[in-house]
Each structure stands twice: as structure tokens, then as C-alpha cells.
Amino acid sequence: MTTDATTQGELAAATAQRRTFAIISHPDAGKTTLTEKLLLYSGMIRTAGMVRGRKGGKVAASDWMGMEQERGISITASAMQFNYKNAVINLLDTPGHQDFSEDTYRTLTAADSAIMVIDAAKGVETQTRKLFAVCRMRRIPVLTLINKMDLPGRPPLDLMTEVEQALSIHASAINWPIGSGSEFAGIVNRSDNRVQLFSRTAPGGATKVNVETLMLDELARSGRVSDDVMAQVQHDLELIEIAGNPFSREPFLAGEVTPVFFASALTNFGIESFLDAFVDLAPSPGARLADRDDGTEVSVDPIETPFSAYVFKLQANMNPKHRDSTAFLRVCSGRFERDMVVRHHRLNREVRLSRPHSLVAQTRSTVEEAYPGDIIGIINPGLFAIGDTISVGGGFNFKPLPQFQPEIFARIRPSDVGKRKSFDKGMEQMAQEGTVQILRSLNDLESLVAAVGRLQFDVLQYRLREEYRVETVLDVLSYSCSAWLEGEVATFKLPSNSMIVKDHRGRIVVLFADQLMKNIARDRNPDHVLKDMG
Ligand code: G4P
């Protein structure tokens, strides 16, 4: 075999091992707990309870920004890499706070699959819906984990129906719970009727647990579960056998079917079998579409195409000791090596990738090599913008990242007018990083900001204060949607509670109180076009 063939073989093997994914959930569903269990079962940590930053005071690996620590939340997404059995896992961390930002959405563009965690008592909640919509847009396969089965929850059939209806996806149960809350006895694997028994007395949680298993009919005969619970399980299993969706991998990979697993992350119950299934089912990095310079499309194969990557996130000041900014890149093809010289498509020049790092736990380690699916952070001396493509061969640009519709708008100004210059500079930087979108009043006198979630405004104000020494006054406005206006501004009939502004490229934007007003404006102005911003 030639050296090249060996290298190619290594690249193919490394790519096949990769699982790059994100966890999507509503706050409190158990994302942090599941992440911790992943680290526990992969041997990254020996006792669970270390990663939690929230109440225990221990700082999560990703909590690097002062504000995140102050508020005990993880604001900006980061990535963790570790081995689980034979797989190399890249877990993209998405914020778990009530409010979230475009960053969260964009992070999902770097994922090849997602795990959706649902609280068994609450079902599908708002944030899960929004994040799922992005997975759907990108056709990312999603695995569903219905968590907290040790607590009283909703009937599993209801939860399955809700997943299907709320998310317009077929749900296929891989296992099924036996009882719930105080009567929760375990889960039965549908393919072989093997039951994993839940034990309340097992020292679950902090360390790995060994689970007792037996067959479903053995359980029924053992008298360990009440007749009512057993009858309910038999009934449910028969029903889903007849009316449920069979599971097969192809529709799952196409984002049409989600396999559903029941578990209790806190007690580690059902977690190891879930993680094993995840590694089996979730796809390794595949080809990505890009535009060639001549306008034609090209499919960038992870193995055939030499190194290429794109920037999905920029972040400043990750380390307070160094005032640096980091560009996070998702490797799409080929093997990355330190000090590599690559073609920067937008700038049409070569750049040397000299200070790459990956983020593992609380330390940054320098990356010597990386493979498709991996996330690398490059110290960014102002060369990278969100969406930038770099590649060894050059000549193509990955499809632009989707822009997400802002849902919240505010007026912002420096408290001290003398700070206008630093304010403008800071705003420019934040807009470039995608923290917020900047708008201006038509007379240029007022600055407005638009974001997907309120948290982005907090981050903006915090960073303007910390990094640019500018205190700001921010008034949230009562608009909740917007559109670009095409046509004469002068003849546009503006509905009440609306406002005309312009974006950073000078395009006219209309802000509306709500979707209803936007629809009214469309009806009243048939000669104008209102184009959704996104
Ligand atoms: P999040 O990251 O999605 O926001 O959720 P997180 O993992 O922080 O979990 C939210 C709460 O739910 C935590 O309790 C956590 O211990 C609990 N939890 C997670 N999974 C399970 C489960 O399977 N069963 C039970 N009974 N509880 C679960 P907390 O009281 O808010 O925090 P803490 O005091 O435990 O730190």
C-alpha cells in the first residue's frame, strides 16, 4: 500500500468513528445531567456531579465568560471531544438557559445529529420545538430521550403522540417503560423483550450502575410488578406494534423518524443502552454541499476532498488573561494539521492555521490534527467571519449559514455620549460575531439591535461594558417580527405599532408588533414585497 492509501484509510477510519452532535431540550429537561452521564460512561469523569455549574458551584467546562459564571448559565456554545467505546464524540454544547440566541441555532449547523431530551412530565416544550425546527430545516437526524421516568410523568403513549404532532415527525419507540413514578419498574427493549430492571436502592447517579435484566414474561411471572402495571405494558406494546411506526435507519437518517428511548438520566437508568444505540445509529460526517466559483454546486466528500472547514461561531475573550478572539471551525473534509496553510475563500488569500486548539474540560489543548466532524478553535486575528470557508484546494464556498428571524428588538445608546466611538466600534464587532443584528433609524440618529432572544442583549451590554468600557442604555421595543421592504418607502402604508428602519447594509426593514400586523401590512400594500428576514 502506498503512503497515500494508508493516509486515506486512516482518514476514512477516523471519519467513520466520529459522532458530532448537539443536545436539544427545554431548560430543566436534563441536558446537563445527560452530558455528565456521557462523560461518566466515557471515562472522562469518575463521579458525576462535577460538571454542573448551576447550583453546586462547580464550574462547567464551558463557563468561561464572567457573566456565565455570575449567572450560573452557559451562554455560548462550546464543543467537547471524548471517546465513547469505539467512537470519537464531538458534543456541541448549546445553551440551556430559557433564552437563547442565534449562536444556538448556528451551532446546530455544525452537528450531524441531535439528541432531543424531553421531560416525561412536561412533554414537548417551546425551546425544544424551536431547536427541532432547525434540525428539520437541515434534515438532521434526531434521537429522542424521554427523561425522568423515575418521577411521575405523562402516559408514554401521550408523549409519543405529542412528539409526533408537535414536531411533525414519526416517532418509533425502541424501548418502553414499565410503570412510572413510584411504580416505575424498568424498561423493556422492544426488539427482544429484554427488561432492564430499575432499582431505587441501587447507588445510581454518581457512578456507573450494573442493571439486572430478565425477560418480560419472566418479569410478569415474578410478581415483582403489579398486575395493573403489567397489563398496561402489554396493552401499550400490542398497540404500538400494530399502530406504531417501525424503525429503520434510512428514514431516521433522512430526519423523518425519531427513535424514542425512555430513561432516567439522574439515576443512570437506561443511559448506557441509550448511548450505545446513539453511537450505533447516529451518522458519521457525510458530504456537504458547497458552491464552486463558477456557480455550480459541488458535494464536498469528507474523505475524497482535502482539508476544508467553515466558521460556525466566533467568540471573544474566552480566556480573560489573553484578550483574544476565537473562530470555531467545523472540519468538513480531509485531515487538518497544525500550521497548515489554507485558502481563505472570502478574503481570497492564504492563511496559516498556527494556533489551533480544541476544548476539553477546563483546559485548552493544542490540536495537532483533526478529522471531519471535529471542531477546532483558531485564534482569530480578525481574519474570520461567521460562515467563512477555508480549504486546502480552494475554489469553493460552503452554502451560507441560515440567518434566523429576530424576535426581539431594542434601542441602544451609550450612557455617556463621549463614548460614542468605542460604542460604535464595539457594536460593529458584536454584529460581526453575530451576537446581534444592528439596525438604524432612517435618519441615522438612533441605533437599534435585533436578536433571537433577550439573552443576546444581556451579552451585548455585558461585553460592551467589559471589553469596550461603555455603559449602555437599552430599551426593549414592543415589536416581535420584521421584514425587508421592497418597493417605494414613501407609498408604503404602515400599520399601527410598526416602524421603518434600515439594516447595516442599508436595506429597508419594517418592524411589526406581531405577525398579525405583518399580515395586515401585506394585505394593504399589494405593490410592495415584505420579505422575511432569515
Ligand atoms: P438542563 O441542563 O436541561 O437545564 O437540566 P438539568 O440536567 O440541570 O436537570 C434539571 C433538574 O432535573 C436537575 O435538578 C436534575 O437533577 C433533575 N433531573 C435530571 N434528570 C433527572 C431524572 O432522570 N430524574 C430526576 N428525578 N431528576 C432529574 P435540580 O434540582 O434543578 O438541580 P440539582 O439540585 O439536582 O443540581
Side-chain angles (χ1 to χ4, degrees), residues 328-341:
F328 288 94
L329 293 107
R330 141 109 198 191
V331 179
C332 296
S333 67
R335 187 183 129 118
F336 163 83
E337 281 164 46
R338 199 154 105 94
D339 280 334
M340 215 169 194
V341 175

Side-chain angles (χ1 to χ4, degrees), residues 253-512:
L253 292 179
E256 291 159 10
V257 172
T258 179
V260 178
F261 301 79
F262 293 85
S264 161
L266 187 66
T267 61
N268 297 349
F269 184 75
I271 291 302
E272 192 169 12
S273 49
F274 171 71
L275 296 177
D276 291 348
F278 164 73
V279 168
D280 265 0
L281 293 174
S284 52
R288 293 201 162 217
L289 280 181
D291 293 315
R292 274 206 203 89
D293 292 347
D294 63 9
T296 55
E297 260 185 5
V298 56
S299 169
V300 176
D301 185 88
I303 296 148
E304 300 300 323
T305 315
F307 171 74
S308 72
Y310 76 93
V311 179
F312 67 96
K313 175 184 151 78
L314 290 182
Q315 185 167 355
N317 297 336
M318 283 176 45
N319 182 345
K321 289 195 200 111
H322 312 108
R323 281 183 64 87
D324 52 16
S325 147
T326 302
F328 288 94
L329 293 107
R330 141 109 198 191
V331 179
C332 296
S333 67
R335 187 183 129 118
F336 163 83
E337 281 164 46
R338 199 154 105 94
D339 280 334
M340 215 169 194
V341 175
V342 293
R343 195 91 212 140
H344 187 306
H345 191 271
R346 179 176 54 87
L347 299 180
N348 194 18
R349 56 168 275 201
E350 307 219 300
V351 292
R352 180 181 293 276
L353 303 177
S354 50
R355 288 168 68 195
H357 57 250
S358 70
L359 294 156
V360 179
Q362 268 149 306
T363 52
R364 282 197 230 175
S365 50
T366 303
V367 176
E368 295 297 332
E369 55 180 35
Y371 293 94
D374 290 349
I375 308 301
I376 46 176
I378 303 277
I379 305 293
N380 179 28
L383 286 178
F384 295 110
I386 283 164
D388 279 351
T389 297
I390 53 169
S391 62
V392 166
F396 65 84
N397 203 25
F398 287 108
K399 296 272 177 200
L401 297 190
Q403 282 249 324
F404 299 95
Q405 295 234 28
E407 293 177 17
I408 175 162
F409 303 85
R411 243 184 222 110
I412 185 168
R413 61 181 163 83
S415 314
D416 173 357
V417 280
K419 292 280 179 105
R420 169 61 63 178
K421 243 176 129 175
S422 312
F423 171 79
D424 286 343
K425 205 168 138 205
M427 290 283 280
E428 187 56 43
Q429 172 68 20
M430 300 302 135
Q432 217 182 66
E433 287 186 21
T435 308
V436 287
Q437 289 182 42
I438 292 184
L439 302 171
R440 292 188 149 276
S441 59
L442 288 184
N443 59 12
D444 277 321
L445 291 178
E446 282 179 337
S447 293
L448 290 89
V449 280
V452 169
R454 165 84 224 199
L455 190 63
Q456 282 164 280
F457 291 162
D458 295 350
V459 172
L460 173 73
Q461 286 193 287
Y462 177 87
R463 293 191 49 193
L464 286 171
R465 183 185 316 126
E466 295 297 308
E467 295 163 35
Y468 295 88
R469 306 273 160 246
V470 185
E471 289 291 340
T472 49
V473 179
L474 182 135
D475 301 312
V476 176
L477 303 170
S478 56
Y479 306 114
S480 70
C481 60
S482 57
W484 282 304
L485 176 66
E486 288 173 9
E488 278 277 326
V489 180
T491 56
F492 183 73
K493 298 191 196 82
L494 198 63
S496 56
N497 297 328
S498 311
M499 180 179 183
I500 295 189
V501 294
K502 55 186 180 182
D503 72 7
H504 67 290
R505 283 161 60 185
R507 288 176 297 187
I508 300 295
V509 173
V510 192
L511 310 183
F512 300 99

Side-chain angles (χ1 to χ4, degrees), residues 28 30-33 52 54-55 147-148 150 264-266:
D28 270 355
K31 190 183 63 126
T32 314
T33 311
R52 308 184 58 80
R54 199 163 304 188
K55 287 152 202 154
N147 189 29
K148 305 200 189 181
D150 56 307
S264 161
L266 187 66

